[in-house]
């Protein structure tokens, strides 16, 4: 809910408040935190006017949404660019127009010297806010845009940040650091969201934890290159800034043209990281294609780790039988089905079924899968082309590569230029035909290489390409509204808020190693709710790490997300298959809670243990996951305080048989582990629950239900 108070816009966001000062032109986030109950705009000036120290400029440039170097801002400028004659490089905007509705505000500011107009758009979400800007070229010459940085000021007592980094099969690794005097920059130049420079920052008061400290979160909704910066200025102000990282010449606005920035989502919590994550989860849950809980998330079997490129109708039909026997509801045929695709050397771009492997097409397999009552899904990687493909042989100019230079290959492939209408049309028609001609309800949309030096007719084309990708997915969804899409990029390298506007699931990592996965999933939960997290039980030996994991640990780990299997069940023992079937049944029993509940990460020693809880919206039940990664610090693990329960009701709690109550190195375990236990929510939250002794690399899932 937004209302105007003189030059302020007061934005109520759940129980928090954002105050936008529009007096200067480009609006300034003057406050984002607890509700201030302001009755006069002057109250803010009375308490918040900053002194001007000696040696400083005589007036202080505001930390606006796009701070102006021309006004004296000495941090990272909000807008950089210029006209061919060099003018317009330091624009300064003046107020022009404000339009406000209950959930949205548009604030336009103009610079008549630089002939630019900047509109800031703010949208209110259930517990967070999204902001983007539009820069409009009002002049008679082109405007070469270099960067647009969206800015969230945070109070000066913010001392630490948390972010996510990683690499292939090791995504979403949480990292803490102090904010130094000066700037921390995490620029991503991989042409995809990336595993190492996730465009998200959590900044908080020193020592903030899962459940304590004031924390601000900022997340850029963008799947391409990004600038991310956290800066403490000499004058004590601290800002988080993010924007699309434009290549030189990527965006050149002709007279009358506009650039629209990605959206920056911001959230605040007075009670630690969980409050910010919960706000972000709520916004994803209110998104246009979020699956919701009305239709349960189907249990998946993906064929990748079962057969890789070795496609054979008889084997895959037998795998479908085995999948159906353990309770799988969606069978996904991964890479290897299309023309010339016998390995990762060839075939990308030729999106028709390979008659050499599938002489009767995919129909026999699809019919078999459907006859078993399962949905059929299929893997594609539309943005790519292998030089060894019919497509590349006929259209080498369709790939994004710099003419005159040797191409830089990744996984033996190049990226197609989706900024070109003919490429868009080619991909649309082939994918449309694939979905039209086959009974396919699910698409795993992959993107398996970094995009470098993306050039079209000699010019940078990263920006146009990324928008082309979004347009292609949107066009296919419009044509096939019932299709569900999973976003994959060598695992979790395309996990962001913009892709989630058009995909229902994210493949969090190619690692199905439960030990690695526990950390990956913990980091993933900072941004995304569990129902969008693909989590599969792999074979006993992980293909990415070689580590052996027990079936119990693998199952307990996948259990907390959107559950699936990625294992050749034909190699699994009858005992393992029947244990897996019991886990699938348990997941189905509890998935409404797991996929619709509120996530509370618990404050444990994350170098050794990871614990979180998912509580039902009405708090009548909850699922606790506790993973022992290595030995605990003490010989007995700690009592852990639970969150998200109703203090006034009694809960019965018991470990789920996944498939057995784990045996630990204990003489005696807490009684509740064997017989179940009972306590009030108040005791469980304020005193806590004694964790049992578990061997390293094992996990326990505990169900709590109102009694
Ligand atoms: C990527 C994905 C995997 C699998 C392969 C297929 O690596 O992350 O899950 O789909 O491609 O080539």
């Amino acid at each position: 809910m937004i209302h105007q108070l003189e030059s302020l816009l007061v934005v109520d966001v759940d129980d928090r408040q954002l105050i936008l000062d529009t007096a200067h032109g480009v609006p300034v986030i003057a406050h984002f935190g607890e509700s201030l109950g302001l009755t006069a705009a002057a109250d803010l000036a009375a308490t918040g006017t900053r002194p001007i120290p000696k040696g400083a400029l005589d007036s202080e440039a505001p930390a606006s949404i796009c701070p102006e170097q021309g006004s004296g801002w000495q941090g990272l400028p909000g807008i950089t660019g210029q006209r061919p004659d060099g003018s317009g490089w330091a624009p300064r905007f003046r107020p022009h127009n404000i339009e406000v509705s209950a959930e949205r505000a548009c604030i336009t500011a103009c610079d008549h010297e630089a002939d630019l107009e900047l509109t800031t758009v703010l949208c209110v979400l259930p517990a967070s806010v999204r902001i983007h800007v539009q820069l409009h070229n009002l002049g008679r010459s082109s405007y070469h845009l270099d960067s647009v940085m969206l800015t969230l000021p945070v109070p000066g007592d913010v001392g630490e940040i948390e972010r996510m980094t990683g690499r292939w099969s090791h995504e979403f690794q949480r990292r803490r650091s102090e904010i130094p005097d000066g700037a921390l920059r995490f620029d991503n130049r991989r042409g995809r969201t990336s595993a190492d420079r996730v465009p998200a920052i959590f900044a908080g008061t020193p020592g903030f934890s899962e459940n304590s400290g004031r924390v601000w979160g900022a997340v850029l909704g963008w799947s391409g290159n990004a600038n991310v910066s956290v800066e403490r200025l000499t004058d004590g102000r601290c800002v988080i800034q993010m924007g699309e990282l434009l290549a030189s010449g990527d965006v050149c606005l002709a007279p009358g043209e506009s650039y629209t920035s990605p959206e920056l989502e911001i959230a605040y919590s007075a009670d630690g990281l969980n409050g910010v994550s919960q706000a972000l989860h709520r916004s994803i849950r209110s998104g246009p294609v979020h699956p919701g809980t009305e239709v349960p998330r189907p249990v998946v079997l993906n064929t990748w780790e079962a057969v890789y490129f070795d496609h054979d109708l008889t084997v895959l039909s037998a795998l479908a039988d085995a999948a159906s026997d353990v309770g799988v509801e969606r069978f996904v045929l991964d890479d290897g089905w299309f023309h010339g695709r016998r390995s990762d050397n060839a075939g990308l771009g030729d999106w028709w079924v390979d008659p050499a492997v599938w002489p009767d097409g995919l129909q026999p397999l699809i019919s078999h899968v459907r006859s078993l009552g399962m949905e059929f899904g299929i893997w594609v990687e539309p943005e790519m082309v292998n030089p060894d493909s019919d497509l590349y042989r006929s259209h080498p100019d369709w790939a994004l590569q710099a003419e005159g230079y040797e191409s830089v290959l990744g996984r033996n492939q190049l990226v197609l230029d989706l900024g070109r209408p003919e490429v868009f049309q080619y991909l649309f028609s082939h994918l449309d035909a694939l979905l039209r001609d086959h009974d396919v309800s699910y698409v795993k949309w992959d993107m398996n290489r970094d995009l470098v030096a993306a050039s079209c007719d000699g010019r940078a084309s990263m920006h146009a390409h990324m928008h082309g990708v979004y347009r292609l997915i949107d066009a296919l969804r419009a044509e096939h509204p019932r299709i569900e899409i999973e976003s994959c990029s060598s695992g979790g390298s395309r996990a962001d808020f913009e892709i989630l506007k058009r995909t229902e699931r994210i493949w969090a990592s190619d690692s199905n190693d439960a030990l690695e996965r526990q950390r990956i999933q913990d980091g993933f939960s900072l941004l995304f709710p569990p129902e969008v997290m693909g989590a599969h039980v792999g074979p006993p030996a992980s293909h990415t790490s070689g580590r052996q994991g027990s079936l119990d640990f693998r199952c307990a780990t996948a259990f907390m997300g959107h559950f699936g299997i990625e294992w050749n069940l034909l190699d699994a023992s009858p005992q393992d298959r029947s244990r897996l079937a019991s886990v699938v049944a348990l997941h189905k029993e509890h998935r409404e809670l797991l996929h619709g509940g509120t996530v509370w990460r618990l404050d444990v020693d994350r170098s050794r243990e990871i614990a979180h809880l998912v509580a039902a919206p009405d708090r009548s039940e909850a699922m606790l996951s506790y993973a022992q990664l290595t030995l605990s610090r003490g010989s007995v693990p700690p009592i852990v305080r639970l969150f998200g329960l109703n203090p006034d009701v009694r809960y019965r709690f018991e470990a789920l048989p996944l498939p057995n109550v784990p045996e630990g190195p204990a003489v005696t375990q807490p009684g509740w582990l064997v017989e179940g236990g009972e306590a009030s929510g108040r005791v469980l939250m304020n005193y806590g629950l004694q964790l049992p002794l578990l061997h390293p690399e094992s996990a326990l899932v505990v169900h709590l239900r109102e009694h």
Side-chain angles (χ1 to χ4, degrees):
M1 189 70 193
I2 308 179
H3 72 271
Q4 261 177 297
L5 186 66
E6 299 156 56
S7 64
L8 302 182
L9 294 183
V10 179
V11 185
D12 288 316
V13 193
D14 199 23
D15 57 352
R16 296 140 232 194
Q17 203 167 61
L18 182 141
I19 297 187
L20 211 55
D21 185 349
T22 64
H24 312 274
V26 184
V28 180
I29 298 175
H31 168 79
F32 188 25
E34 287 75 19
S35 188
L36 299 186
L38 277 189
T39 48
D43 283 8
L44 218 54
T47 61
T49 304
R50 287 165 56 85
I52 302 286
K54 283 189 179 159
L57 296 170
D58 292 346
S59 61
E60 187 176 80
S64 71
I65 299 281
C66 285
E68 300 161 354
Q69 50 184 333
S71 303
W73 175 256
Q74 288 160 345
L76 203 55
I79 292 173
T80 54
Q82 59 172 310
R83 296 195 182 274
D85 65 0
S87 66
W89 68 277
R92 292 171 69 176
F93 294 90
R94 295 288 160 258
H96 179 63
N97 187 42
I98 299 181
E99 282 169 31
V100 180
S101 66
E103 307 295 335
R104 185 180 157 95
C106 292
I107 304 110
T108 303
C110 281
D111 176 344
H112 292 299
E113 295 301 319
D115 280 329
L116 294 170
E117 183 183 83
L118 187 73
T119 302
T120 304
V121 181
L122 178 147
C123 298
V124 185
L125 295 166
S128 56
V129 164
R130 280 190 186 167
I131 296 171
H132 72 271
V133 298
Q134 232 177 11
L135 184 72
H136 190 57
N137 181 6
L138 303 173
R140 295 217 190 110
S141 60
S142 54
Y143 189 78
H144 292 253
L145 188 63
D146 292 325
S147 69
V148 172
M149 295 296 284
L150 304 175
T151 304
L152 169 67
V154 290
D157 62 344
V158 159
E160 292 176 8
I161 59 159
E162 182 147 334
R163 65 187 176 95
M164 279 154 288
T165 183
R167 59 175 170 79
W168 174 71
S169 79
H170 192 58
E171 296 88 341
F172 301 104
Q173 303 298 306
R174 299 172 63 171
R175 291 284 183 277
R176 230 357 128 86
S177 42
E178 277 186 18
I179 306 175
D181 292 333
L184 292 169
R185 298 259 152 83
F186 311 101
D187 293 346
N188 163 33
R189 294 173 194 276
R190 294 188 182 275
R192 48 176 158 172
T193 321
S194 91
D196 56 337
R197 311 281 169 96
V198 179
I201 294 284
F202 299 88
T205 44
F208 70 87
S209 74
E210 304 298 346
N211 293 298
S212 71
R214 303 176 76 205
V215 183
W216 288 260
V219 190
L220 192 72
W222 183 240
S223 315
N225 289 343
N227 294 102
V228 173
S229 165
V230 183
E231 183 157 7
R232 192 189 295 288
L233 283 83
T234 340
D235 62 24
R237 289 182 292 176
C238 190
V239 287
I240 302 173
Q241 293 180 285
M242 292 189 202
E244 177 182 359
L245 191 160
L246 297 172
S248 198
D250 216 347
V251 174
C252 180
L253 299 177
E257 278 186 353
S258 302
Y259 165 81
T260 303
S261 77
E263 287 184 313
L264 183 72
E265 180 157 339
I266 56 176
Y268 165 75
S269 161
D271 303 308
L273 274 167
N274 275 329
V276 176
S277 295
Q278 288 162 7
L280 300 175
H281 295 183
R282 282 178 69 183
S283 97
I284 289 169
R285 285 175 170 168
S286 70
V289 304
H290 183 267
T293 46
E294 298 79 46
V295 181
R297 308 294 294 128
V299 171
V300 171
L301 182 131
N302 179 295
T303 62
W304 180 237
E305 284 190 48
V307 298
Y308 296 100
F309 292 106
D310 199 3
H311 285 198
D312 177 276
L313 176 61
T314 313
V315 172
L316 285 164
S317 300
L319 186 59
D321 291 333
S324 167
D325 284 349
V326 300
V328 166
E329 296 158 311
R330 173 181 283 164
F331 185 90
V332 182
L333 183 67
D334 210 281
D335 198 356
W337 58 268
F338 49 94
H339 181 236
R341 189 67 168 172
R342 301 285 69 76
S343 72
D344 66 9
N345 287 328
L348 290 170
D350 296 349
W351 297 112
W352 54 92
V353 181
D354 193 341
V357 187
W358 297 95
D360 300 315
L362 293 176
Q363 208 45 53
L365 178 65
I366 297 179
S367 303
H368 185 63
V369 165
R370 300 290 290 132
S371 74
L372 294 166
M374 294 186 288
E375 294 176 19
F376 185 79
I378 199 157
W379 179 96
V380 291
E381 194 180 359
E383 294 145 68
M384 299 294 161
V385 64
N386 284 120
D388 184 1
S389 65
D390 285 4
L391 176 65
Y392 188 79
R393 281 182 282 274
S394 17
H395 298 287
D397 53 323
W398 283 8
L400 283 165
Q401 46 190 338
E403 216 175 296
Y405 297 91
E406 198 183 323
S407 302
V408 181
L409 291 165
R411 208 191 188 200
N412 313 305
Q413 60 203 51
L414 294 165
V415 184
L416 289 168
D417 183 3
L418 265 152
R420 282 176 187 255
E422 61 275 29
V423 175
F424 183 96
Q425 203 39 52
Y426 171 87
L427 290 172
F428 179 82
S429 60
H430 280 79
L431 296 171
D432 179 48
L434 175 70
L435 301 180
R436 212 173 275 289
D437 298 345
H438 300 93
D439 187 0
V440 171
S441 52
Y442 183 77
V443 168
K444 177 176 172 186
W445 186 296
D446 214 335
M447 193 290 190
N448 279 321
R449 61 155 291 176
D450 292 341
L451 174 52
V452 293
S455 229
C456 172
D457 300 331
R459 293 179 65 109
S461 190
M462 310 286 272
H463 173 83
H465 170 75
M466 200 60 246
H467 280 283
V469 175
Y470 292 146
R471 266 202 317 279
L472 179 61
I473 303 178
D474 292 345
L476 285 163
R477 289 199 75 110
E479 208 53 38
H480 304 273
R482 279 200 293 276
I483 214 89
E484 203 174 285
I485 302 181
E486 172 176 42
S487 172
C488 174
S489 180
S490 323
S493 278
R494 191 184 266 168
D496 61 77
F497 283 22
E498 189 57 36
I499 205 71
L500 264 183
K501 288 184 190 164
R502 37 186 73 72
T503 55
E504 284 84 353
R505 189 190 210 236
I506 289 171
W507 181 227
S509 177
D510 276 356
S511 175
N512 290 322
D513 172 338
L515 184 63
E516 297 292 337
R517 265 285 177 156
Q518 282 288 340
R519 284 198 198 291
I520 292 167
Q521 296 184 180
D522 184 53
F524 187 93
S525 77
L526 285 172
L527 299 178
F528 308 109
E531 65 276 14
V532 305
M533 180 178 72
H536 295 174
V537 177
S542 158
H543 77 150
T544 55
S545 65
R547 190 182 277 124
Q548 293 279 335
S550 71
L551 183 59
D552 304 24
F553 192 33
R554 281 145 52 218
C555 286
T557 302
F559 192 82
M560 300 304 285
H562 179 199
F563 189 88
I565 299 164
E566 196 155 337
W567 176 14
N568 191 345
L569 293 178
L570 305 174
D571 293 343
S573 67
Q575 293 87 331
D576 279 358
R577 283 205 230 175
S578 92
R579 291 162 84 195
L580 196 52
S582 71
V583 176
V584 169
L586 266 179
H587 182 79
K588 289 179 180 170
E589 191 183 329
H590 295 289
R591 63 186 156 186
E592 191 179 340
L593 163 64
L594 292 167
H595 297 160
T598 308
V599 175
W600 296 88
R601 286 176 305 273
L602 304 179
D603 281 311
V604 290
D605 175 358
R606 289 196 136 56
S607 64
R608 299 153 198 275
E609 295 121 19
I610 286 184
H612 77 282
L613 173 148
V614 182
D618 66 0
R619 299 183 294 171
S620 60
E621 57 172 337
M623 196 70 80
L624 164 69
S625 160
Y626 164 62
Q628 186 74 53
L629 308 182
T630 64
L631 288 173
S632 293
R633 181 181 293 270
S635 56
V636 172
I639 287 186
V640 65
R641 290 172 61 197
L642 307 190
F643 281 79
L645 305 177
N646 183 342
D648 298 322
V649 308
R650 287 188 71 73
Y651 291 88
R652 167 125 193 107
F653 46 94
E654 53 198 0
L656 287 188
L658 275 177
N660 310 310
V661 173
E663 284 168 18
V667 176
T668 42
Q669 291 281 29
W672 67 262
L673 187 66
V674 186
E675 292 152 13
E678 226 183 279
S680 71
R682 196 177 303 279
V683 167
L684 289 162
M685 291 195 293
N686 294 331
Y687 176 73
L689 180 67
Q690 171 62 59
L691 297 171
L693 279 163
L694 296 184
H695 282 305
E697 300 185 25
S698 60
L700 187 67
V701 178
V702 181
H703 185 226
L704 299 98
R705 184 187 293 282
E706 189 176 326
H707 192 48

